[in-house]
Amino acid sequence: MTDNADLAALIRTIPDYPKPGILFRDVSTLLLDGPGFRATIDRLAALVAPDTSLIAGIEARGFVVAAGLSYALGLGKLMLRKPGKLPGEKIGADYALEYGTDRIEMHVGHVQPGQKVLLVDDLIATGGTASAGVDLIRRGGGTVEQALFIVDLPDLGGAARLRAQGIEVKCLIDFEGD
């Protein structure tokens, strides 16, 4: 595997967004590059545990990653959505934000008991959303042993937070000092 510097070069950095002192890592520029996006999905797909049976993507950019992996691996895709988006019976998990809380939800019955589910998103920072996703999938009866991300901001501790929950975390790119 490469060091993924080619992919890192496709990610735009926006200083002082959403507030002064923050370096926002914008993966939308990577998604705009067809060969770069294909390489991203191929490299992530190579990391997926062979007994995985479902890919869970977190709204919204995680849907893009999950759809690409689902297609590449021939697996179904579970959507973890923001409130008010799912019409059927659902369960939800709240998680902390810097200034408040948010919530993600999933349909009841979309995960089978014991089904091995891979959690994916574009980026992991503090890990709040990803931890809520793990909680939802486990409450729905599935098992989560692995999570994949394009980008990790290791200084914010999200990957370590997931590892503490027994999740193997793999990321293509680390941006230290963010």
Side-chain angles (χ1 to χ4, degrees):
M1 181 159 52
T2 69
D3 67 0
N4 299 309
D6 58 331
L7 301 181
L10 296 172
I11 296 171
R12 175 172 60 165
T13 299
I14 302 172
D16 299 320
Y17 182 84
K19 63 181 189 176
I22 301 292
L23 291 176
F24 185 83
R25 303 302 183 162
D26 181 17
V27 301
S28 69
T29 51
L30 170 65
L31 301 178
L32 282 168
D33 186 280
F37 179 60
R38 174 177 274 173
T40 299
I41 295 301
D42 289 346
R43 292 175 198 176
L44 286 171
L47 301 174
V48 176
D51 55 346
T52 299
S53 62
L54 188 64
I55 312 283
I58 300 170
E59 189 167 347
R61 290 177 305 273
F63 287 178
V64 175
V65 177
L69 285 172
S70 295
Y71 177 80
L73 300 170
L75 299 174
K77 181 175 108 47
L78 173 68
M79 295 185 294
L80 304 179
R81 306 244 21 214
K82 294 178 182 176
K85 304 289 185 176
L86 298 173
E89 184 182 356
K90 58 196 155 292
I91 58 174
D94 297 320
Y95 59 96
L97 298 170
E98 189 173 357
Y99 299 107
T101 62
D102 210 342
R103 181 175 180 85
I104 56 172
E105 299 175 336
M106 73 175 204
H107 276 128
V108 171
H110 281 198
V111 175
Q112 303 307 307
Q115 188 172 24
K116 189 166 179 183
V117 181
L118 168 68
L119 181 72
V120 301
D121 205 352
D122 65 322
L123 182 143
I124 186 160
T126 64
T129 310
S131 291
V134 168
D135 176 57
L136 267 182
I137 294 163
R138 289 178 173 169
R139 285 179 30 223
T143 62
V144 183
E145 298 173 0
Q146 186 181 42
L148 300 180
F149 304 90
I150 299 170
V151 173
D152 180 20
L153 304 179
D155 293 346
L156 298 180
R161 180 177 180 177
L162 287 184
R163 288 183 186 107
Q165 296 175 347
I167 308 295
E168 175 190 38
V169 179
K170 294 184 179 179
C171 306
L172 296 180
I173 302 159
D174 290 346
F175 285 113
E176 301 280 348
D178 295 319

